[in-house]
Amino acid sequence: MKEKVYFPSHQQLRFSRRLHKMVRRLVPDCDVRFLQSQCGSGKGAAMVTAVAYRLAAQHAERQRVLDTLRLSREKLLEVKKRMSEEMVRGLSKQTHEQASVKMLPTFVRDTPDGTEHGNFLALDLGGSSFRVLLVQVKSGKRHNVDMHHKIYTIPQETMQGTGEELFNHIVYCIGDFLEYMGMGGASLPLGFTFSFPCHQSKLDQGILLKWTKGFKASDCEGQDVITLLKDAVRRTQKFDLNFVAVVNDTVGTMMTCSYEDPKCEVGLIVGTGTNACYMEEMQNIELVEGDDGRMCVNMEWGAFGDNGELDDFCTEFDHIVDNCSNNPGKQRYEKMISGMYLGEVVRNVLIDFTTKGLLFRGKLSEQLKTRCIFETKFLSQIESDRLAMRQVRSILQHLGLTSSTCDDSVLVKEVCSVVARRAAQLCGAGLAAVVDKIRENRNLNQLSITVGVDGTLYKTHPHFSSIMQETLQDLAPQCQVTFHKSEDGSGKGAALITAVACRMKSE
Ligand code: GLC
């Protein structure tokens, strides 16, 4: 713009001098300077327009990125369809080897009938901690269960050290628990909740197929975990254990819930990892002899997508999270859903926004570069409806993201919400495939069924469960599904399975 030279008149100069003097007198502590606008409001309007353009372009870019994380109903129906196909492939002898969803037989055929009783030990390994439990199952009309437990942490270096170190540590914890409970020499029947994919050919054997969720202890894959435990017990020469069952956490959860609600025939975990199990018809489980009745199948659905089934729905952020993980190319569905990975998806979106200058004033902090800084609990907290933006900001500050503005907080919350919504919808789509398969297996027009659920993400996130249920209802309208939150975790389930096995042995 060409500017005209402007000379203030004598009168104007006098006016401005007086104005300055008066202002100085009225607010002596403030240093107020007056800058004369040269060409008035025209330039201002142009600048407002330019800013508006920039903001609109930034908004469009943010929405473009977030849209890649949004799934339409058609896409969710496609996820459900592909999950159904993979389930059939996993069950069939011919295609089992290549199938991504392994549909592992568990040799759990019965739910408790209330006549079980006795004391049982249970171990629970699979998340961030290890639990040892003493479970007292009482029979009779008011059948119930008493539990005592102790939680032990598994140091990262033990998770990723040698198998011998890991199992020695587990046995050390068991010894500590027995001593703590004052039951040193007791050899109680024991159920082991081992929340990793295992090939089972009987209840008390589980060959670890592969580690998931950050575990990496050497020399365990391809081994029977009960043998590894027995060897470790033998090494200590301190006590003896009577192993009865190896149980996946999904199966333990289903059992715990079915103890109270016999309609519970599905188990679901949405925690550090995600997985589901359900009661399948024996005639469909081609890997196990016999056609009568049903058996619980551990789907290991976290591996869905490992053959490319989710490639159409993955974003650049999912690829980064996968590439930087312990097990690239594996557990692709789990990496889009569970607590161990959602924070990482969010962090990578935030990095993208920051480098494009759309967030945190374009300043990429060391904290944002730190892996796993966004734990599940932060995702759940940030999305809590009761939280004012000021509190979101204080969570960000707690995470070291100190230079955030109010707009930044709004955007971070939106990213968390889009990522969690996608996770809940994907989970709902998978579950829709499961309940519809059960309905079709039984030739029913309508199915009424209960799903037992456990896992911190499911339990603590303010919207996960409702979005998942909404999706499920939409994609499997012929199924009426009730959700039963498991309060006592999967350890109790392992004890109940052990109790059922002991009852059947004695019958
Ligand atoms: C992982 C494990 C699976 C477990 C799930 C939930 O996906 O492979 O066995 O059930 O996490 O803990």
Side-chain angles (χ1 to χ4, degrees):
M1 192 195 291
K2 213 169 184 182
E3 292 185 4
K4 262 195 201 151
V5 183
Y6 173 80
F7 295 106
S9 71
H10 190 65
Q11 227 177 356
Q12 282 169 324
L13 278 175
R14 223 180 42 212
F15 175 80
S16 73
R17 261 200 305 271
R18 279 201 185 145
L19 176 66
H20 294 185
K21 210 164 149 191
M22 181 56 76
V23 169
R24 261 199 305 274
R25 209 178 278 164
L26 290 174
V27 280
D29 294 339
C30 300
D31 176 22
V32 181
R33 277 176 212 174
F34 290 83
L35 194 67
Q36 199 164 322
S37 161
Q38 298 294 313
C39 51
S41 48
K43 190 165 165 187
M47 286 185 68
V48 169
T49 314
V51 170
Y53 261 120
R54 179 174 54 82
L55 290 179
Q58 289 183 338
H59 177 75
E61 175 57 11
R62 283 187 206 115
Q63 288 311 314
R64 187 196 64 76
V65 171
L66 291 178
D67 280 348
T68 63
L69 288 152
R70 292 191 171 109
L71 294 172
S72 63
R73 184 166 190 272
E74 283 61 45
K75 285 190 176 163
L76 290 169
L77 274 170
E78 186 59 30
V79 172
K80 175 189 171 191
K81 181 170 153 264
R82 292 185 195 176
M83 178 69 88
S84 308
E85 288 163 2
E86 271 310 292
M87 290 170 73
V88 174
R89 278 163 48 80
L91 286 169
S92 139
K93 226 182 205 159
Q94 265 192 343
T95 44
H96 173 81
E97 272 308 310
Q98 303 93 47
S100 60
V101 179
K102 285 291 179 225
M103 307 295 282
L104 303 166
T106 64
F107 293 82
V108 170
R109 297 161 193 254
D110 280 285
T111 47
D113 67 5
T115 62
E116 300 76 11
H117 58 92
N119 292 343
F120 303 90
L121 266 184
L123 312 176
D124 190 354
L125 177 75
S128 42
S129 57
F130 170 62
R131 285 199 310 158
V132 188
L133 307 90
L134 171 67
V135 184
Q136 295 167 308
V137 182
K138 297 177 186 157
S139 59
K141 254 199 204 126
R142 284 172 44 235
H143 64 252
N144 62 28
V145 167
D146 269 349
M147 296 207 299
H148 301 272
H149 76 254
K150 217 171 152 184
I151 298 178
Y152 299 88
T153 51
I154 306 240
Q156 183 87 359
E157 54 282 10
T158 311
M159 268 187 202
Q160 305 190 348
T162 68
E164 205 171 294
E165 280 160 8
L166 174 65
F167 282 90
N168 281 349
H169 179 68
I170 292 175
V171 170
Y172 164 80
C173 300
I174 302 172
D176 177 78
F177 179 77
L178 292 177
E179 210 168 281
Y180 167 76
M181 295 298 297
M183 31 190 286
S187 166
L188 299 176
L190 183 147
F192 184 13
T193 304
F194 184 71
S195 311
F196 300 95
C198 283
H199 170 79
Q200 291 191 262
S201 53
K202 47 187 180 169
L203 192 59
D204 62 352
Q205 184 198 53
I207 295 168
L208 174 63
L209 296 175
K210 61 176 190 237
W211 285 121
T212 52
K213 299 178 291 194
F215 277 72
K216 227 168 64 180
S218 59
D219 307 322
C220 297
E221 292 181 352
Q223 303 289 321
D224 171 24
V225 293
I226 294 288
T227 308
L228 292 176
L229 250 182
K230 278 184 179 162
D231 289 347
V233 171
R234 208 168 299 132
R235 281 194 293 272
T236 65
Q237 297 188 334
K238 285 203 178 128
F239 50 85
D240 209 11
L241 295 172
N242 169 17
F243 294 95
V244 176
V246 191
V247 178
N248 187 261
D249 51 354
T250 51
V251 186
T253 299
M254 184 189 82
M255 270 297 184
T256 306
C257 295
S258 70
Y259 195 54
E260 282 153 37
D261 176 355
K263 273 210 313 209
C264 179
E265 293 183 274
V266 181
L268 170 70
I269 302 280
V270 193
T272 310
T274 183
N275 190 14
C277 72
Y278 71 99
M279 297 304 288
E280 177 57 274
E281 309 300 315
M282 276 295 285
Q283 64 196 24
N284 293 340
I285 311 177
E286 292 186 8
L287 300 181
V288 183
E289 297 281 309
D291 277 348
D292 292 338
R294 296 180 183 139
M295 181 183 280
C296 178
V297 167
N298 165 19
M299 290 178 67
E300 285 296 328
W301 82 3
F304 178 54
D306 292 6
N307 285 340
E309 305 90 331
L310 289 167
D311 285 359
D312 308 352
F313 316 114
C314 281
T315 64
E316 53 182 304
F317 311 110
D318 298 305
H319 291 297
I320 300 174
V321 170
D322 179 41
N323 284 335
C324 298
S325 69
N326 258 337
N327 49 354
K330 304 272 181 253
Q331 303 293 105
R332 300 302 304 272
Y333 188 56
E334 180 160 271
K335 286 174 185 163
M336 296 168 92
I337 295 179
S338 75
M340 182 162 172
Y341 305 99
L342 281 199
E344 278 297 278
V345 180
V346 167
R347 189 178 68 87
N348 279 289
V349 179
L350 300 186
I351 290 180
D352 180 68
F353 282 172
T354 311
T355 47
K356 287 177 180 157
L358 306 173
L359 188 68
F360 302 139
R361 300 193 179 96
K363 241 184 75 199
L364 196 58
S365 64
E366 280 310 310
Q367 283 82 4
L368 211 52
K369 289 190 215 153
T370 314
R371 275 190 68 197
C372 303
I373 188 171
F374 267 94
E375 293 171 45
T376 320
K377 69 170 185 238
F378 292 123
L379 290 194
S380 300
Q381 282 170 7
I382 286 175
E383 274 216 69
S384 161
D385 289 335
R386 276 171 299 168
L387 221 61
M389 273 307 146
R390 200 160 36 84
Q391 288 159 300
V392 174
R393 216 165 140 191
S394 86
I395 295 174
L396 293 179
Q397 272 165 3
H398 182 74
L399 291 171
L401 302 166
T402 42
S403 63
S404 63
T405 62
C406 189
D407 282 351
D408 289 341
S409 307
V410 174
L411 185 54
V412 170
K413 188 165 175 168
E414 189 176 4
V415 174
C416 290
S417 138
V418 169
V419 170
R421 163 170 281 272
R422 184 185 70 154
Q425 288 177 326
L426 283 171
C427 194
L431 210 50
V434 176
V435 290
D436 250 351
K437 179 156 196 344
I438 300 176
R439 184 182 61 77
E440 280 161 20
N441 280 346
R442 299 178 191 180
N443 268 326
L444 294 171
N445 193 26
Q446 287 289 328
L447 172 78
S448 168
I449 197 163
T450 299
V451 176
V453 208
D454 206 344
T456 25
L457 183 61
Y458 181 89
K459 280 179 170 171
T460 61
H461 193 280
H463 308 302
F464 192 97
S465 61
S466 55
I467 299 171
M468 184 186 80
Q469 286 176 40
E470 226 170 71
T471 310
L472 175 62
Q473 203 167 29
D474 185 33
L475 303 186
Q478 287 161 278
C479 301
Q480 195 213 335
V481 184
T482 309
F483 286 84
H484 189 126
K485 244 190 256 174
S486 156
E487 294 306 335
D488 307 303
S490 45
K492 175 171 158 187
L496 286 171
I497 290 167
T498 308
V500 173
C502 290
R503 164 173 61 81
M504 290 177 59
K505 219 188 239 170
S506 68
E507 271 169 13

